[in-house]
């Protein structure tokens, strides 16, 4: 298949495919007429890359998965290098979750303090008023 068909089937653009090619993630095969040619295995590589990127992996982090598929493994995550990337990414996510939990706890404490202060200044809050035109 040609680059336009592969891009359409993978849900991406030809520009993206050329970028992946320049980064060595997608093979650059040429037909006799000079056009790039691809097959189903290339589509599989692209789907692996796109799935990982959807999960937040950067492009370079997809390389071990692509290489694992190119080596003939049935899954891109069945090689030791891919598993190492998973472990590293999981560590990053755990760290981010910890940081977000700390920020959330700080915001919750600030909210509780502010609510107590507001309640102390105006117990019960202002009297409700009807805005529908009555007295």
């Amino acid at each position: 298949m040609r680059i336009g068909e592969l891009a359409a089937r993978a849900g991406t653009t030809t520009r993206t495919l050329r970028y992946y090619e320049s980064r060595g993630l997608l093979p650059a095969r040429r037909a006799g007429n000079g056009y790039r040619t691809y097959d189903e295995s290339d589509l599989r590589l692209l789907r692996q890359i796109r799935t990982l990127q959807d999960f937040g992996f950067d492009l370079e982090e997809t390389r071990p998965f692509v290489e694992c598929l190119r080596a003939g493994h049935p899954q891109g995550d069945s090689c030791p290098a891919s598993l190492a990337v998973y472990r590293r990414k999981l560590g990053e996510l755990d760290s981010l979750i910890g940081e977000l939990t700390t920020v959330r706890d700080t915001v919750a404490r600030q909210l509780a303090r502010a609510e107590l202060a507001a309640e102390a200044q105006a117990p019960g809050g202002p009297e409700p008023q009807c805005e529908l035109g009555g007295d």
Side-chain angles (χ1 to χ4, degrees):
M1 78 184 90
R2 293 188 27 198
I3 193 168
E5 181 183 350
L6 180 63
R9 289 183 63 190
T12 190
T13 65
T14 57
R15 182 178 180 180
T16 299
L17 299 185
R18 287 191 298 272
Y19 179 68
Y20 292 168
E21 180 184 319
S22 74
R23 298 294 307 261
L25 292 169
L26 192 62
R29 292 183 302 275
R30 302 274 181 167
N33 59 8
Y35 291 133
R36 290 172 174 90
T37 61
Y38 302 96
D39 59 26
E40 292 299 318
S41 67
D42 298 318
L43 180 59
R44 191 166 172 225
L45 293 177
L46 282 174
R47 286 184 174 148
Q48 179 76 77
I49 293 168
R50 305 284 294 170
T51 297
L52 291 168
Q53 286 192 304
D54 288 347
F55 291 158
F57 288 66
D58 66 36
L59 191 57
E60 195 55 37
E61 289 173 319
T62 69
R63 187 173 301 281
F65 297 85
V66 169
E67 290 171 355
C68 190
L69 286 172
R70 279 191 187 158
H73 295 275
Q75 302 295 323
D77 59 4
S78 60
C79 295
S82 303
L83 297 174
V85 171
Y86 272 156
R87 285 185 195 99
R88 187 171 50 251
K89 182 57 85 174
L90 193 57
E92 289 174 14
L93 292 170
D94 287 342
S95 178
L96 289 171
I97 289 168
E99 291 174 26
L100 287 172
T101 299
T102 300
V103 169
R104 187 203 180 285
D105 291 347
T106 301
V107 170
R109 283 192 304 276
Q110 288 294 101
L111 174 61
R113 183 202 50 79
E115 288 175 336
L116 285 173
E119 182 68 26
Q121 289 177 355
E127 280 295 313
Q129 297 200 359
C130 179
E131 297 177 12
L132 297 177
D135 284 273

